[in-house]
Amino acid sequence: MQRAAQRDDRAQQDQRAKRLRRALVCAAAVPAVLITAACSSDSGDSKAKSGEETTRSADGGSQPSASASPTVRAAAYQKLPEACSVVSKKTLTDLVPEGSKSGKKGSSDDPSSRASCAWDSLDNNGVKGSQFRWLNVALLRFDSDATRGAADEQAHAYYSQQVKDAQSVDGAKNVKVVPLSGTGAEASTVRYDLKKKEGLFKQQTVVARVENVVVTLDYNGAGLAGEKTPDADDLAKDAQKALKEVVAAVSSANGGSGGSDSGSAGSGSTGSASPSGSASKSASKAPSKSSSSSASPSKSAAKKS
């Protein structure tokens, strides 16, 4: 009986020990489950938040927008006046008295970008000699272009090249450059003497830029067959007077008052246009090369002198 009671006690103790071990195992397992659940919950929240942020980024337009195409300021002047009408009849009578009514219009494949006109005058006094005068006006207009730049900057480069070319004519002597004020945005007179077999020619080349148009006016005179050589100062004054009329005509043709242009020179131009080049025919086309030969003062003045 005693042994049976002892066995019952041991059996009960063994059962209690097993139940205690199971309880301890379960108790230990609960925190692990909670931790795992908590980690899973945090991971899900993080992914959800990340997804929300991605959605917000897409909806909010955080992606950088495409950059706008480069643009240049538009050309101020869109057309040119009739070249043979840019100098008044009175001025023509003073400068080329024997040829004031016989202006020769230069050829051009695009009159809106390039135009010219020339006048010859020979006052023949027989054995006493003759007085010769020659006047030529050339106008070139530039268009703005994304590749070549703003029209006025192109015109500034061409203006600078025209002044430079006028100083480098073969055989020119006593070359002088005189800046002019009150005529377009910028203007200069290039003066020199040119000795030819016919006589001594006094050349005046005046160049002006009015917005995106360059005006080149050549005026020279000579006393032939023993006639007195004309005064260079007088020729210069006449040429500058005619230049102002041309500049006013350009402005008037584009709806302006015909007064002096006060625009500034294009500071961004570093290149220079060729004297034989021409204004751009359109924003997408290269300048035409078929301009009249009179567009270059260096060449035309030397030929007529």
Side-chain angles (χ1 to χ4, degrees):
M1 291 294 293
Q2 184 175 2
R3 290 182 180 176
Q6 289 177 351
R7 282 197 301 270
D8 291 339
D9 290 338
R10 282 198 297 270
Q12 291 178 358
Q13 290 177 0
D14 291 339
Q15 290 178 357
R16 285 197 296 269
K18 289 180 180 179
R19 286 197 296 270
L20 180 59
R21 283 197 296 270
R22 284 199 297 270
L24 291 175
V25 170
C26 291
V30 170
V33 172
L34 293 176
I35 292 173
T36 301
C39 291
S40 300
S41 177
D42 289 344
S43 176
D45 291 344
S46 178
K47 291 181 180 179
K49 290 180 180 179
S50 176
E52 292 174 1
E53 290 175 359
T54 301
T55 303
R56 284 197 299 270
S57 175
D59 296 339
S62 61
Q63 295 292 335
S65 59
S67 59
S69 301
T71 59
V72 293
R73 58 182 173 276
Y77 291 157
Q78 300 299 321
K79 58 183 179 180
L80 296 176
E82 173 63 42
C84 291
S85 302
V86 293
V87 181
S88 68
K89 293 182 178 180
K90 182 180 183 305
T91 299
L92 287 174
T93 301
D94 293 339
L95 272 62
V96 284
E98 301 301 320
S100 60
K101 298 179 180 180
S102 57
K104 298 177 182 179
K105 185 178 180 180
S107 60
S108 173
D109 58 354
D110 187 1
S112 68
S113 293
R114 177 173 44 260
S116 64
C117 192
W119 298 262
D120 288 300
S121 176
L122 181 63
D123 184 8
N124 193 339
N125 296 314
V127 296
K128 294 182 180 180
S130 303
Q131 284 291 335
F132 174 78
R133 299 290 186 274
W134 177 70
L135 173 67
N136 184 82
V137 176
L139 306 99
L140 279 83
R141 186 185 66 82
F142 293 82
D143 278 324
S144 293
D145 182 271
T147 301
R148 291 186 290 272
D152 58 335
E153 292 180 355
Q154 295 179 62
H156 168 71
Y158 183 78
Y159 159 83
S160 300
Q161 188 65 41
Q162 290 288 74
V163 174
K164 181 179 179 180
D165 287 345
Q167 301 174 57
S168 58
V169 173
D170 291 342
K173 303 294 183 181
N174 304 318
V175 179
K176 296 180 180 179
V177 182
V178 181
L180 301 178
S181 59
T183 305
E186 50 190 336
S188 298
T189 296
V190 180
R191 302 169 54 174
Y192 58 85
D193 300 337
L194 197 61
K195 181 68 176 179
K196 293 286 185 178
K197 62 180 181 179
E198 297 87 355
L200 179 63
F201 288 77
K202 297 289 185 177
Q203 172 70 30
Q204 316 293 319
T205 297
V206 285
V207 187
R209 178 181 70 84
V210 49
E211 295 289 359
N212 55 305
V213 175
V214 177
V215 177
T216 303
L217 186 148
D218 289 301
Y219 184 51
N220 64 45
L224 309 178
E227 180 65 285
K228 182 181 178 181
T229 300
D231 184 77
D233 290 337
D234 291 340
L235 294 178
K237 290 178 182 178
D238 289 340
Q240 292 167 16
K241 177 183 178 182
L243 178 69
K244 289 185 177 182
E245 292 184 4
V246 179
V247 168
V250 172
S251 178
S252 180
N254 288 274
S257 62
S260 299
D261 183 291
S262 59
S264 59
S267 59
S269 296
T270 57
S272 60
S274 167
S276 62
S278 68
S280 172
K281 295 175 65 176
S282 68
S284 60
K285 296 181 180 180
S288 170
K289 296 181 180 179
S290 60
S291 61
S292 170
S293 61
S294 61
S296 173
S298 302
K299 296 179 180 179
S300 59
K303 289 181 179 180
K304 289 295 182 179
S305 297

